[in-house]
Amino acid sequence: MLTAITRQVSPSINRCELTFHAKEPIDIPRAIAQHEAYEECLSQLGARVISLPAEADLPDAVFVEDAAIVVDEVAVSPIMGAASRRPETESLARTLSIYRLLKYMQAPATLDGGDVMRIGRRLFVGASKRTNADGISQLRAALAPFDYEVKSVNVKQCLHLKSGCSYVGRNSILVNRGMVDVTRLAGFELIDVPASEPGAANALLIEDVVIVPSAFPQTIALLDARGFKVKAIDVSEFQKAEGGVTCKSIIFNVDAAP
Ligand code: GLY
């Protein structure tokens, strides 16, 4: 069964990490309402949503994607790139251990799940400010026994690889080439985000539906015109925290619900 792990919004989200964005106040009741709508959207698309309680003292913990990497056979608990976020992995790993064998990274590796774009048995991993070469090689070693290929991709001017590109199905990747070196993405159809919407390359594919923030109407129109099924969703409060639509869930399949 398609399963989505999410986490409720921390009351401390206004103390979130910011790397490329200027600080803007986050409206917490609005963020909570947007997150509920996001969970409802995942549910309507067929996912069983496991919504974990908020972590009061971990401002970025709603962005669960960064705190684990889950493939069909195994989950990897990373050492996250931002020291303030490292405690996020602990309770998430406990939940994931119900569903997957767990492997743990060792220092000096750092890696954030937002840097990992999985397409089938290939994982493209952003060499970003948060993910270092040891993190990429430890992920490669953890997944090699299960026949996954891990390739590093250079990124610039963005937090994570998936800030700059996302797989949207039909062998296509939505991309901002100003952020992502596409050399390693040869063989895929690259769909460039409109210049007026540089932040629009973070999109979440569930089955055959591409979830895109409603803040990016031109990207929505572009995907729609190419025949993609698109679902627009408002994540404005999370964009202020340098998050997007992929960051707020970990999606994986569970053969039989325990
Ligand atoms: N605020 C998201 C992050 O910096 O990880």
Side-chain angles (χ1 to χ4, degrees), residues 65-97:
E65 171 183 67
D66 296 324
I69 299 88
V70 182
V71 295
D72 297 346
E73 303 82 357
V74 66
V76 179
S77 187
I79 299 169
M80 299 182 71
S84 71
R85 298 197 59 186
R86 289 185 187 149
E88 292 177 28
T89 56
E90 195 182 313
S91 67
L92 187 59
R94 268 199 307 277
T95 300
L96 283 168
S97 67

mmCIF file of all heavy atoms in Angstrom, residues 65-97:
data_model
loop_
_atom_site.group_PDB
_atom_site.id
_atom_site.type_symbol
_atom_site.label_atom_id
_atom_site.label_comp_id
_atom_site.label_asym_id
_atom_site.label_seq_id
_atom_site.Cartn_x
_atom_site.Cartn_y
_atom_site.Cartn_z
ATOM 1 N N GLU A 65 11.139 14.638 4.647
ATOM 2 C CA GLU A 65 11.895 14.046 3.535
ATOM 3 C C GLU A 65 13.404 14.110 3.761
ATOM 4 O O GLU A 65 14.149 13.207 3.343
ATOM 5 C CB GLU A 65 11.576 14.800 2.243
ATOM 6 C CG GLU A 65 12.476 14.397 1.095
ATOM 7 C CD GLU A 65 12.224 15.195 -0.163
ATOM 8 O OE1 GLU A 65 12.494 16.406 -0.176
ATOM 9 O OE2 GLU A 65 11.746 14.608 -1.135
ATOM 10 N N ASP A 66 13.841 15.192 4.440
ATOM 11 C CA ASP A 66 15.285 15.389 4.597
ATOM 12 C C ASP A 66 15.917 14.431 5.598
ATOM 13 O O ASP A 66 17.126 14.255 5.606
ATOM 14 C CB ASP A 66 15.560 16.834 5.056
ATOM 15 C CG ASP A 66 15.140 17.833 4.008
ATOM 16 O OD1 ASP A 66 15.294 17.526 2.814
ATOM 17 O OD2 ASP A 66 14.653 18.918 4.383
ATOM 18 N N ALA A 67 15.078 13.818 6.461
ATOM 19 C CA ALA A 67 15.608 13.088 7.612
ATOM 20 C C ALA A 67 15.718 11.574 7.401
ATOM 21 O O ALA A 67 16.061 10.842 8.342
ATOM 22 C CB ALA A 67 14.760 13.392 8.844
ATOM 23 N N ALA A 68 15.421 11.090 6.196
ATOM 24 C CA ALA A 68 15.593 9.658 5.911
ATOM 25 C C ALA A 68 15.522 9.435 4.407
ATOM 26 O O ALA A 68 14.915 10.224 3.680
ATOM 27 C CB ALA A 68 14.510 8.827 6.596
ATOM 28 N N ILE A 69 16.137 8.350 3.969
ATOM 29 C CA ILE A 69 16.051 7.939 2.568
ATOM 30 C C ILE A 69 15.456 6.541 2.579
ATOM 31 O O ILE A 69 16.004 5.645 3.225
ATOM 32 C CB ILE A 69 17.441 7.928 1.885
ATOM 33 C CG1 ILE A 69 18.033 9.336 1.910
ATOM 34 C CG2 ILE A 69 17.356 7.443 0.441
ATOM 35 C CD1 ILE A 69 18.806 9.652 3.133
ATOM 36 N N VAL A 70 14.340 6.383 1.884
ATOM 37 C CA VAL A 70 13.637 5.094 1.927
ATOM 38 C C VAL A 70 13.538 4.544 0.508
ATOM 39 O O VAL A 70 13.056 5.223 -0.408
ATOM 40 C CB VAL A 70 12.218 5.257 2.516
ATOM 41 C CG1 VAL A 70 11.521 3.902 2.602
ATOM 42 C CG2 VAL A 70 12.282 5.905 3.895
ATOM 43 N N VAL A 71 13.998 3.318 0.316
ATOM 44 C CA VAL A 71 13.778 2.613 -0.958
ATOM 45 C C VAL A 71 12.975 1.351 -0.634
ATOM 46 O O VAL A 71 12.500 1.164 0.491
ATOM 47 C CB VAL A 71 15.106 2.311 -1.682
ATOM 48 C CG1 VAL A 71 15.804 3.601 -2.111
ATOM 49 C CG2 VAL A 71 16.024 1.447 -0.831
ATOM 50 N N ASP A 72 12.798 0.491 -1.603
ATOM 51 C CA ASP A 72 11.868 -0.631 -1.406
ATOM 52 C C ASP A 72 12.329 -1.590 -0.308
ATOM 53 O O ASP A 72 11.517 -2.181 0.386
ATOM 54 C CB ASP A 72 11.696 -1.420 -2.708
ATOM 55 C CG ASP A 72 11.083 -0.551 -3.798
ATOM 56 O OD1 ASP A 72 10.568 0.539 -3.475
ATOM 57 O OD2 ASP A 72 11.137 -0.954 -4.974
ATOM 58 N N GLU A 73 13.632 -1.787 -0.177
ATOM 59 C CA GLU A 73 14.153 -2.821 0.706
ATOM 60 C C GLU A 73 14.695 -2.308 2.030
ATOM 61 O O GLU A 73 14.855 -3.082 2.984
ATOM 62 C CB GLU A 73 15.308 -3.563 0.011
ATOM 63 C CG GLU A 73 14.960 -4.195 -1.310
ATOM 64 C CD GLU A 73 14.987 -3.221 -2.492
ATOM 65 O OE1 GLU A 73 15.237 -2.004 -2.281
ATOM 66 O OE2 GLU A 73 14.750 -3.656 -3.619
ATOM 67 N N VAL A 74 15.064 -1.025 2.101
ATOM 68 C CA VAL A 74 15.859 -0.539 3.226
ATOM 69 C C VAL A 74 15.621 0.962 3.391
ATOM 70 O O VAL A 74 15.197 1.634 2.443
ATOM 71 C CB VAL A 74 17.359 -0.862 2.960
ATOM 72 C CG1 VAL A 74 17.898 -0.092 1.778
ATOM 73 C CG2 VAL A 74 18.232 -0.647 4.165
ATOM 74 N N ALA A 75 15.880 1.450 4.617
ATOM 75 C CA ALA A 75 15.875 2.900 4.845
ATOM 76 C C ALA A 75 17.242 3.297 5.393
ATOM 77 O O ALA A 75 17.866 2.528 6.133
ATOM 78 C CB ALA A 75 14.779 3.281 5.832
ATOM 79 N N VAL A 76 17.691 4.468 5.027
ATOM 80 C CA VAL A 76 18.975 4.964 5.513
ATOM 81 C C VAL A 76 18.713 6.210 6.360
ATOM 82 O O VAL A 76 18.031 7.137 5.923
ATOM 83 C CB VAL A 76 19.920 5.295 4.339
ATOM 84 C CG1 VAL A 76 21.249 5.836 4.874
ATOM 85 C CG2 VAL A 76 20.157 4.061 3.472
ATOM 86 N N SER A 77 19.240 6.182 7.579
ATOM 87 C CA SER A 77 19.114 7.319 8.483
ATOM 88 C C SER A 77 20.400 8.139 8.354
ATOM 89 O O SER A 77 21.482 7.671 8.707
ATOM 90 C CB SER A 77 18.923 6.802 9.910
ATOM 91 O OG SER A 77 18.652 7.875 10.771
ATOM 92 N N PRO A 78 20.301 9.361 7.836
ATOM 93 C CA PRO A 78 21.521 10.123 7.548
ATOM 94 C C PRO A 78 21.985 10.960 8.739
ATOM 95 O O PRO A 78 21.287 11.058 9.746
ATOM 96 C CB PRO A 78 21.046 11.056 6.422
ATOM 97 C CG PRO A 78 19.622 11.358 6.786
ATOM 98 C CD PRO A 78 19.082 10.095 7.437
ATOM 99 N N ILE A 79 23.147 11.559 8.597
ATOM 100 C CA ILE A 79 23.546 12.662 9.480
ATOM 101 C C ILE A 79 23.211 13.912 8.675
ATOM 102 O O ILE A 79 23.801 14.149 7.614
ATOM 103 C CB ILE A 79 25.055 12.606 9.798
ATOM 104 C CG1 ILE A 79 25.374 11.301 10.524
ATOM 105 C CG2 ILE A 79 25.466 13.818 10.630
ATOM 106 C CD1 ILE A 79 26.866 11.017 10.655
ATOM 107 N N MET A 80 22.246 14.669 9.145
ATOM 108 C CA MET A 80 21.775 15.785 8.330
ATOM 109 C C MET A 80 22.813 16.908 8.260
ATOM 110 O O MET A 80 23.635 17.083 9.169
ATOM 111 C CB MET A 80 20.443 16.288 8.882
ATOM 112 C CG MET A 80 19.381 15.195 8.845
ATOM 113 S SD MET A 80 17.791 15.765 9.426
ATOM 114 C CE MET A 80 17.321 16.822 8.058
ATOM 115 N N GLY A 81 22.749 17.663 7.172
ATOM 116 C CA GLY A 81 23.769 18.687 6.929
ATOM 117 C C GLY A 81 23.744 19.834 7.918
ATOM 118 O O GLY A 81 24.788 20.390 8.249
ATOM 119 N N ALA A 82 22.557 20.209 8.392
ATOM 120 C CA ALA A 82 22.459 21.312 9.361
ATOM 121 C C ALA A 82 22.436 20.713 10.762
ATOM 122 O O ALA A 82 21.569 19.903 11.087
ATOM 123 C CB ALA A 82 21.188 22.120 9.108
ATOM 124 N N ALA A 83 23.364 21.149 11.618
ATOM 125 C CA ALA A 83 23.461 20.570 12.971
ATOM 126 C C ALA A 83 22.140 20.700 13.722
ATOM 127 O O ALA A 83 21.737 19.791 14.454
ATOM 128 C CB ALA A 83 24.589 21.255 13.736
ATOM 129 N N SER A 84 21.424 21.799 13.514
ATOM 130 C CA SER A 84 20.157 22.019 14.242
ATOM 131 C C SER A 84 19.114 20.964 13.893
ATOM 132 O O SER A 84 18.179 20.743 14.645
ATOM 133 C CB SER A 84 19.590 23.400 13.910
ATOM 134 O OG SER A 84 19.096 23.417 12.573
ATOM 135 N N ARG A 85 19.271 20.312 12.759
ATOM 136 C CA ARG A 85 18.257 19.360 12.298
ATOM 137 C C ARG A 85 18.604 17.906 12.643
ATOM 138 O O ARG A 85 17.788 17.016 12.463
ATOM 139 C CB ARG A 85 18.041 19.506 10.782
ATOM 140 C CG ARG A 85 17.523 20.897 10.378
ATOM 141 C CD ARG A 85 16.926 20.911 8.980
ATOM 142 N NE ARG A 85 15.812 19.971 8.876
ATOM 143 C CZ ARG A 85 15.166 19.690 7.751
ATOM 144 N NH1 ARG A 85 15.517 20.310 6.637
ATOM 145 N NH2 ARG A 85 14.182 18.813 7.728
ATOM 146 N N ARG A 86 19.802 17.674 13.115
ATOM 147 C CA ARG A 86 20.234 16.256 13.302
ATOM 148 C C ARG A 86 19.342 15.444 14.227
ATOM 149 O O ARG A 86 19.088 14.266 13.943
ATOM 150 C CB ARG A 86 21.699 16.214 13.739
ATOM 151 C CG ARG A 86 22.575 16.611 12.557
ATOM 152 C CD ARG A 86 24.051 16.516 12.770
ATOM 153 N NE ARG A 86 24.662 17.094 11.574
ATOM 154 C CZ ARG A 86 25.818 17.727 11.529
ATOM 155 N NH1 ARG A 86 26.539 17.853 12.613
ATOM 156 N NH2 ARG A 86 26.260 18.216 10.389
ATOM 157 N N PRO A 87 18.775 16.049 15.293
ATOM 158 C CA PRO A 87 17.909 15.225 16.172
ATOM 159 C C PRO A 87 16.620 14.774 15.487
ATOM 160 O O PRO A 87 15.926 13.908 16.017
ATOM 161 C CB PRO A 87 17.603 16.174 17.344
ATOM 162 C CG PRO A 87 18.646 17.240 17.291
ATOM 163 C CD PRO A 87 19.008 17.388 15.849
ATOM 164 N N GLU A 88 16.300 15.332 14.319
ATOM 165 C CA GLU A 88 15.059 14.930 13.634
ATOM 166 C C GLU A 88 15.060 13.462 13.218
ATOM 167 O O GLU A 88 14.009 12.854 13.033
ATOM 168 C CB GLU A 88 14.840 15.777 12.363
ATOM 169 C CG GLU A 88 14.542 17.229 12.616
ATOM 170 C CD GLU A 88 14.413 18.014 11.310
ATOM 171 O OE1 GLU A 88 14.038 17.423 10.274
ATOM 172 O OE2 GLU A 88 14.698 19.216 11.325
ATOM 173 N N THR A 89 16.250 12.904 13.036
ATOM 174 C CA THR A 89 16.309 11.553 12.462
ATOM 175 C C THR A 89 15.854 10.473 13.448
ATOM 176 O O THR A 89 15.383 9.419 13.027
ATOM 177 C CB THR A 89 17.752 11.212 12.007
ATOM 178 O OG1 THR A 89 18.625 11.372 13.121
ATOM 179 C CG2 THR A 89 18.199 12.104 10.862
ATOM 180 N N GLU A 90 15.986 10.753 14.741
ATOM 181 C CA GLU A 90 15.821 9.694 15.742
ATOM 182 C C GLU A 90 14.410 9.099 15.766
ATOM 183 O O GLU A 90 14.226 7.891 15.578
ATOM 184 C CB GLU A 90 16.193 10.263 17.113
ATOM 185 C CG GLU A 90 16.400 9.202 18.151
ATOM 186 C CD GLU A 90 16.730 9.831 19.497
ATOM 187 O OE1 GLU A 90 17.593 10.735 19.563
ATOM 188 O OE2 GLU A 90 16.099 9.416 20.480
ATOM 189 N N SER A 91 13.405 9.949 15.964
ATOM 190 C CA SER A 91 12.040 9.394 16.081
ATOM 191 C C SER A 91 11.547 8.911 14.723
ATOM 192 O O SER A 91 10.757 7.963 14.630
ATOM 193 C CB SER A 91 11.083 10.412 16.687
ATOM 194 O OG SER A 91 10.902 11.490 15.810
ATOM 195 N N LEU A 92 12.031 9.542 13.660
ATOM 196 C CA LEU A 92 11.639 9.091 12.319
ATOM 197 C C LEU A 92 12.194 7.682 12.054
ATOM 198 O O LEU A 92 11.493 6.800 11.528
ATOM 199 C CB LEU A 92 12.171 10.083 11.279
ATOM 200 C CG LEU A 92 11.724 9.853 9.851
ATOM 201 C CD1 LEU A 92 10.198 9.892 9.725
ATOM 202 C CD2 LEU A 92 12.340 10.886 8.926
ATOM 203 N N ALA A 93 13.437 7.454 12.466
ATOM 204 C CA ALA A 93 14.035 6.124 12.285
ATOM 205 C C ALA A 93 13.249 5.072 13.063
ATOM 206 O O ALA A 93 13.048 3.950 12.579
ATOM 207 C CB ALA A 93 15.501 6.149 12.729
ATOM 208 N N ARG A 94 12.787 5.442 14.265
ATOM 209 C CA ARG A 94 11.978 4.490 15.052
ATOM 210 C C ARG A 94 10.720 4.092 14.281
ATOM 211 O O ARG A 94 10.355 2.925 14.208
ATOM 212 C CB ARG A 94 11.582 5.110 16.395
ATOM 213 C CG ARG A 94 12.547 4.809 17.518
ATOM 214 C CD ARG A 94 11.917 5.022 18.886
ATOM 215 N NE ARG A 94 11.307 6.327 19.075
ATOM 216 C CZ ARG A 94 11.971 7.428 19.426
ATOM 217 N NH1 ARG A 94 13.270 7.376 19.615
ATOM 218 N NH2 ARG A 94 11.342 8.576 19.586
ATOM 219 N N THR A 95 10.055 5.078 13.676
ATOM 220 C CA THR A 95 8.839 4.773 12.894
ATOM 221 C C THR A 95 9.200 3.940 11.670
ATOM 222 O O THR A 95 8.541 2.934 11.371
ATOM 223 C CB THR A 95 8.143 6.088 12.459
ATOM 224 O OG1 THR A 95 7.790 6.803 13.636
ATOM 225 C CG2 THR A 95 6.902 5.801 11.634
ATOM 226 N N LEU A 96 10.254 4.326 10.971
ATOM 227 C CA LEU A 96 10.606 3.602 9.738
ATOM 228 C C LEU A 96 11.027 2.169 10.022
ATOM 229 O O LEU A 96 10.855 1.285 9.160
ATOM 230 C CB LEU A 96 11.718 4.349 8.999
ATOM 231 C CG LEU A 96 11.246 5.600 8.239
ATOM 232 C CD1 LEU A 96 12.436 6.426 7.783
ATOM 233 C CD2 LEU A 96 10.374 5.208 7.043
ATOM 234 N N SER A 97 11.561 1.926 11.228
ATOM 235 C CA SER A 97 12.032 0.572 11.538
ATOM 236 C C SER A 97 10.881 -0.440 11.562
ATOM 237 O O SER A 97 11.097 -1.641 11.487
ATOM 238 C CB SER A 97 12.791 0.553 12.868
ATOM 239 O OG SER A 97 11.889 0.826 13.919
#
